[in-house]
Amino acid sequence: MYFLGIDIGTSSVKVSIVEASSQQKICSAQYPAVEAPIYSPQPNWAEQDPRDWWAYFKLALSKANATGLYDPKQIMAIGIAYQMHGLVVVDKDQQVLRNAIIWCDSRAVALGNKAFEEIGEVFNLKHHLNSPGNFTASKLAWVKANEPEIYQKIDKVMLPGDFIAMKLSGTISTSISALSEGVFWDFQQNELSATLMDYYGFDSGLIPAIRPVFAEHGQIKRTVAEELGLSPEVTINYKAGDQPNNALSLNVLQPGEVAATAGTSGVIYGVSDQLIADRESRVNTFAHVNYREDAIRTGVLLCINGTGIMNSWGRKLLGKDLSYDQINAMAATSPIGSKGLQVIPFGNGAERMLNNQLVGASITSIDLNRHETADILRAIQEGIAFAFRYGLDIMRENALHPQMIRAGHANLFLSPVFREAFVGATNVPVEVYDHDGSVGAAMGAGIGSGYYRDLTEAFRSLKPVYTVEPKDIDRYEENYQQWKGILETKINIT
């Protein structure tokens, strides 16, 4: 028997097939091969068409099925991971009403900041653990204020993974974890936040049925099963945002455990048994996949919008005909510190850890006689690592002090330059695992279907591929302090 994991990313949709008893990945496939488009009709807007995600998923699954490595009819359960904080709206016929407003879209910042002030900072941080900020609820408020004709047609509000589950099954559902990431959840009352819903003027009927993360979220439609080559008995047994799901895939489930990712955006995600709220909402706290009212497990999330997308921009500009492996090898020819070159990578919308400021990206201290392509490529990866360090220091202010960070062998963690800069700048070792979001989603399906007795059994075979220990700490610290000074000057100017 097999589990199918689906990861709805910003750049592509990836699927993985995991064999249930051995817990081994049989194969993976993704579509498209290059980054999926992000539509930006106005500055600081970011949208994608949810129907594209569905098309990408079908093409990715077709590629996986074509390998012949498994019988698609033996897939018993599906798990879904997805880019967090997006807004998908459908009418009563489950038709998409507008493009999804995705996670890095900044149009709702002012509305969220106003709600933070008018509902009350103390109330928001105590009950929602966050400012409404730029999260899903505020994006919906933007639609209500600016597109009333669309808002009037909305039957249900969803996150990206809910949309894919709907397309598979015809069923629309959500979870406490999902509602908390949209800042719809009241942790003190343990229910949908009546205060926020009233403030924004939302009808509670817009919110789908609430189910546990590990539970049945619908059975596949017969017509869809026939189209995809799957059994009509397949059920969807798990849905989670990409960062809680990444933590699950790395067995980061208990207080003190920490995961990191460095894809289009970058995240450090630490598990706590407390309802932690940063006083400035620079890092955010959501219900983790194993959250229960009587056994609190929250995920404290540092999100940096400008990480992998900055590295991708550098490749497009300076090495569009080169692979990422070749880019990484070129960057490695430049010394630590990139000969004094510094890159601020924040060019992908408002950064929450910088109080939702639009700082932008920049390259500074250029010496036209010394600096070459390799120096710029290295400075980009070091600048991203320094952004992680800056955010980790905020997490340390909130009583999270990781002794080890777990990461998947993917994206920027494939680069030796980035790995060494990350551990050198943070002074925290990293365990690297051969797992990713789609594998995590497949394992989540195994847990939600009841195939695995508990979380411990589900991850009995998980072991790190290698560990990266900090070195050259003093050199990275010196360069980080220079980088931090440049950033703080930009923040003050902004």
Side-chain angles (χ1 to χ4, degrees), residues 426-445:
T426 61
N427 197 18
V428 180
V430 170
E431 289 181 342
V432 180
Y433 293 78
D434 190 19
H435 262 211
D436 63 20
S438 58
V439 173
M443 297 304 294

Side-chain angles (χ1 to χ4, degrees), residues 212-468:
V213 170
F214 301 104
E216 185 176 318
H217 289 267
Q219 182 172 332
I220 194 169
K221 292 188 286 189
R222 184 170 294 275
T223 54
V224 173
E226 290 174 357
E227 179 185 4
L228 300 179
L230 304 178
S231 164
E233 303 303 315
V234 171
T235 50
I236 303 158
N237 293 92
Y238 169 81
K239 288 189 303 181
D242 52 8
Q243 300 310 323
N245 174 74
N246 179 66
L248 171 78
S249 75
L250 298 169
N251 196 23
V252 171
L253 295 162
Q254 301 306 325
E257 296 176 339
V258 178
T261 57
T264 302
S265 63
V267 167
I268 298 179
Y269 186 98
V271 179
S272 174
D273 57 3
Q274 305 295 317
L275 298 178
I276 292 174
D278 178 63
R279 55 188 171 79
E280 298 178 50
S281 207
R282 297 165 298 173
V283 297
N284 303 104
T285 303
F286 309 112
H288 196 23
V289 293
N290 56 341
Y291 173 88
R292 298 201 319 262
E293 187 180 12
D294 61 343
I296 291 171
R297 295 293 183 270
T298 54
V300 183
L301 185 152
L302 160 75
C303 181
I304 309 166
N305 292 358
T307 55
I309 194 169
M310 181 77 206
N311 197 49
S312 172
W313 179 86
R315 174 174 173 256
K316 290 174 184 175
L317 196 68
L318 301 169
K320 62 182 179 181
D321 296 324
L322 302 178
S323 69
Y324 278 110
D325 285 344
Q326 290 172 312
I327 290 292
N328 296 337
M330 187 180 294
T333 65
S334 178
I336 292 173
S338 310
K339 300 176 187 171
L341 203 63
Q342 295 279 11
V343 169
I344 303 296
F346 306 123
N348 190 32
E351 293 285 353
R352 292 201 294 275
M353 75 171 184
L354 303 179
N355 302 108
N356 281 321
Q357 290 191 65
L358 289 160
V359 173
S362 60
I363 304 174
T364 63
S365 305
I366 300 170
D367 185 328
L368 300 176
N369 296 310
R370 294 187 69 216
H371 292 134
E372 301 174 330
T373 300
D375 303 314
I376 300 173
L377 295 173
R378 183 180 189 105
I380 286 172
Q381 295 195 16
E382 288 184 339
I384 295 166
F386 294 155
F388 273 101
R389 159 66 188 278
Y390 189 89
L392 183 58
D393 285 349
I394 295 172
M395 298 185 80
R396 285 164 171 153
E397 290 177 27
N398 287 276
L400 284 169
H401 299 278
Q403 302 303 305
M404 176 70 73
I405 294 175
R406 298 176 190 169
H409 188 62
N411 301 314
L412 274 167
F413 280 102
L414 294 171
S415 167
V417 167
F418 175 76
R419 291 195 302 262
E420 291 167 10
F422 181 95
V423 299
T426 61
N427 197 18
V428 180
V430 170
E431 289 181 342
V432 180
Y433 293 78
D434 190 19
H435 262 211
D436 63 20
S438 58
V439 173
M443 297 304 294
I447 298 164
S449 68
Y451 182 88
Y452 301 121
R453 290 191 304 272
D454 53 32
L455 295 168
T456 300
E457 182 185 2
F459 294 100
R460 67 178 185 272
S461 63
L462 184 66
K463 292 180 176 57
V465 179
Y466 56 87
T467 300
V468 185

Side-chain angles (χ1 to χ4, degrees), residues 116-312:
F116 189 46
E117 179 181 342
E118 293 187 351
I119 293 175
E121 295 183 10
V122 172
F123 183 93
N124 272 298
L125 295 180
K126 182 178 180 181
H127 288 258
H128 305 138
L129 308 185
N130 304 285
S131 163
N134 197 34
F135 296 112
T136 312
S138 300
K139 290 169 180 168
L140 180 61
W142 185 93
V143 174
K144 182 172 183 282
N146 293 276
E147 299 174 343
E149 70 288 351
I150 290 176
Y151 183 83
Q152 291 301 320
K153 296 177 184 177
I154 298 174
D155 180 64
K156 288 291 180 287
V157 171
M158 291 181 287
L159 294 162
D162 303 328
F163 172 78
I164 297 301
M166 180 199 78
K167 294 294 288 184
L168 285 165
S169 67
T171 300
I172 304 177
S173 65
T174 188
S175 67
I176 291 174
S177 181
L179 290 172
S180 74
E181 75 171 76
V183 191
F184 287 104
W185 192 251
D186 187 324
F187 282 88
Q188 297 299 321
Q189 300 299 321
N190 201 42
E191 63 184 16
L192 186 67
S193 175
T195 299
L196 182 133
M197 297 292 284
D198 289 346
Y199 174 83
Y200 278 142
F202 298 155
D203 189 304
S204 61
L206 296 174
I207 304 299
I210 303 172
R211 296 178 183 167
V213 170
F214 301 104
E216 185 176 318
H217 289 267
Q219 182 172 332
I220 194 169
K221 292 188 286 189
R222 184 170 294 275
T223 54
V224 173
E226 290 174 357
E227 179 185 4
L228 300 179
L230 304 178
S231 164
E233 303 303 315
V234 171
T235 50
I236 303 158
N237 293 92
Y238 169 81
K239 288 189 303 181
D242 52 8
Q243 300 310 323
N245 174 74
N246 179 66
L248 171 78
S249 75
L250 298 169
N251 196 23
V252 171
L253 295 162
Q254 301 306 325
E257 296 176 339
V258 178
T261 57
T264 302
S265 63
V267 167
I268 298 179
Y269 186 98
V271 179
S272 174
D273 57 3
Q274 305 295 317
L275 298 178
I276 292 174
D278 178 63
R279 55 188 171 79
E280 298 178 50
S281 207
R282 297 165 298 173
V283 297
N284 303 104
T285 303
F286 309 112
H288 196 23
V289 293
N290 56 341
Y291 173 88
R292 298 201 319 262
E293 187 180 12
D294 61 343
I296 291 171
R297 295 293 183 270
T298 54
V300 183
L301 185 152
L302 160 75
C303 181
I304 309 166
N305 292 358
T307 55
I309 194 169
M310 181 77 206
N311 197 49
S312 172

